[in-house]
Amino acid sequence: MSDDVRAGLEGVTVAETSLSRVDGEAGELVVGGYPVEELAGNATYEEVVFLLLEGRLPTADELDSFRADLAARREIGEEVRNVLRRAADEGLPAMDALRMGVAAANLGGETGDERETASRVIAVVPTVVATYWRYREGLAPVDPRPELGHAANYLFMLTGEQPTERAVRGLESYLVTVVDHGLNASTFTARTVVSTESDVVSGATAAVGALKGPLHGGAPGPVLDMLREIHERGDPGTYVRETLEGGERLMGFGHRVYRVRDPRAAVLSEAAEQFYAGSGQAEFFETVERFERVAVKALAEHKPDRPLETNVEFYTAPLLWGVGVPPELFTATFAVSRVGGWTAHCLEQLADNRIVRPVATYTGPTGRTWTPVEER
Ligand code: ACO
């Protein structure tokens, strides 16, 4: 590959943002000016989304009205439910259903105001995911409850039961921690789409497609399978060795930007530890921590020149599983949070826009002459 090509746009700066800053060398993440650890320990999801959309934390009155506004936009129409039922009946993955649901987010309420559309998209994502899941389970969808917060309402719509405070706290920490993360692949996708002066719904729909892949948001499902297998077999060393010797990647490790442990892994490991303590499943969490130690050591020996540390997805898996999110919905639950970041980035891009249009080095043939079809 020629020297002037930056494969995967690695290290290329293409925008200014005031939303979040990722320091890969120091292992720091700042969201809206606050270290992620500070937010995860204190904020609700609604507060962090307000912070991203407005650039500051809400007052108590502003928070009340923002929560009420989001809650009032949660419902989805019968047409969207039908599409989700069909997706569930055909066994399509949750992310395919979510892509269709988000694409329909401007049905019945489009005002042309992109800030309002952002709220609508953020509000409907949990409803779309939960509705799809209820159909997948052969159950009737559960209507959203306006008096519940974003995290609690999502769990309620999944199960039809009032979630425990512990589960809500665990999910809230997760939603706050992963809401925004610089120009990751899905966020860049969303910004690229709106840079053509397209709209927030189109940006978010494309972002769902980008998040789906295993190199981005699709890792925590395989991470959980791996952890459950190790918990049963009790031998992380053999699993890690066989995976690496087989030329495969260990899911939940490595990152494009971080050269040290992902700070979100630290936040989520603490949240998961708190959740599992006294849950009756503390032994499973011990397996998770033991696996991390073994894997990090083996990866350092496997690739001495490339730091491969724990990423956010590693602790996402046990935390989401613990609070009751089914593994099939892990990536879609990532979207439940990240849609806050996607939409804020879309609005930031639109406020000071230049169409995204990089160039490629052409490596194909040149100078060919046309051969009529009957002579080929
Ligand atoms: N296990 C084993 N080896 C790895 C891993 C891993 N998890 N990650 C990277 N490597 C190796 C690669 O094989 C490569 O080796 P090579 O030079 O011999 O080919 C080297 O380290 C560099 O890897 P790249 O693919 O160049 O790293 P890149 O920055 O492109 O990829 C990524 C980062 C996609 C996260 C990668 O580390 C990976 O695939 N991890 C596993 C999947 C995962 O956990 N995804 C979630 C990421 S977090 C998120 O998106 C929210």
Side-chain angles (χ1 to χ4, degrees), residues 65-376:
S65 72
F66 186 59
R67 282 174 60 123
D69 180 61
L70 285 182
R73 296 177 193 272
R74 285 177 181 155
E75 304 268 352
I76 54 173
E78 201 48 41
E79 311 85 344
V80 183
R81 281 188 172 192
N82 288 339
V83 169
L84 298 174
R85 185 189 292 122
R86 178 84 188 265
D89 288 350
E90 292 194 14
L92 293 180
M95 288 300 279
D96 288 3
L98 179 58
R99 194 189 62 240
M100 298 176 210
V102 169
N106 49 352
L107 277 180
E110 181 62 20
T111 59
D113 175 340
E114 290 298 292
R115 170 66 184 73
E116 251 187 81
T117 306
S119 290
R120 167 84 178 140
V121 178
I122 293 164
V124 297
V125 168
T127 315
V128 168
V129 178
T131 302
Y132 157 85
W133 182 248
R134 299 288 295 179
Y135 287 133
R136 266 285 293 268
E137 293 291 276
L139 299 165
V142 175
D143 289 332
R145 274 209 185 148
E147 72 277 15
L148 293 179
H150 205 73
N153 178 61
Y154 178 46
L155 289 175
F156 172 71
M157 289 189 297
L158 286 175
T159 62
E161 287 163 21
Q162 182 77 26
T164 65
E165 216 175 282
R166 220 151 54 96
V168 175
R169 204 175 330 118
L171 181 64
E172 193 97 62
S173 302
Y174 172 75
L175 296 179
V176 166
T177 302
V178 305
V179 67
D180 197 44
H181 198 243
L183 275 201
N184 59 86
S186 55
T187 301
F188 179 59
T189 301
R191 286 189 80 127
T192 301
V193 170
V194 297
S195 82
T196 65
E197 294 189 358
S198 179
D199 60 286
V200 169
V201 171
S202 300
T205 306
V208 171
L211 186 68
K212 180 183 172 187
L215 300 188
H216 190 9
V223 168
L224 184 70
D225 294 343
M226 175 176 88
L227 291 172
R228 291 173 73 181
E229 192 185 326
I230 305 302
H231 189 57
E232 273 170 30
R233 280 194 352 194
D235 184 9
T238 306
Y239 181 94
V240 167
R241 205 174 45 252
E242 283 174 3
T243 304
L244 296 179
E245 280 171 5
E248 286 174 48
R249 293 178 180 215
L250 277 178
M251 291 289 133
F253 297 89
H255 198 273
R256 169 58 62 82
V257 180
Y258 292 119
R259 292 295 170 261
V260 293
R261 195 174 189 241
D262 186 332
R264 299 167 301 173
V267 170
L268 296 187
S269 105
E270 205 179 307
E273 188 172 9
Q274 276 173 21
F275 178 84
Y276 278 96
S279 69
Q281 290 179 295
E283 276 179 17
F284 176 67
F285 190 69
E286 282 167 25
T287 302
V288 174
E289 290 188 301
R290 195 165 67 249
F291 183 88
E292 183 188 14
R293 285 194 296 274
V294 170
V296 168
K297 191 160 173 280
L299 283 165
E301 287 161 11
H302 178 69
K303 286 252 163 263
D305 301 330
R306 162 84 184 200
L308 293 170
E309 298 280 343
T310 317
N311 68 43
V312 64
E313 303 290 33
F314 184 74
Y315 280 99
T316 292
L319 179 59
L320 289 186
W321 191 52
V323 303
V325 174
E328 294 89 336
L329 299 187
F330 282 178
T331 311
T333 303
F334 191 167
V336 167
S337 167
R338 186 54 65 81
V339 66
W342 292 335
T343 50
H345 273 272
C346 287
L347 297 174
E348 191 181 57
Q349 178 74 34
L350 287 168
D352 185 14
N353 187 44
R354 185 141 197 248
I355 185 170
V356 176
R357 204 303 185 192
V359 291
T361 302
Y362 179 68
T363 60
T366 54
R368 287 174 156 175
T369 53
W370 184 252
T371 313
V373 68
E374 58 279 4
E375 290 171 30
R376 279 177 233 153

Side-chain angles (χ1 to χ4, degrees), residues 28-45:
E28 287 171 5
L29 169 62
V30 169
V31 178
Y34 298 87
V36 67
E37 298 79 6
E38 184 88 4
L39 293 176
N42 296 297
T44 59
Y45 180 70

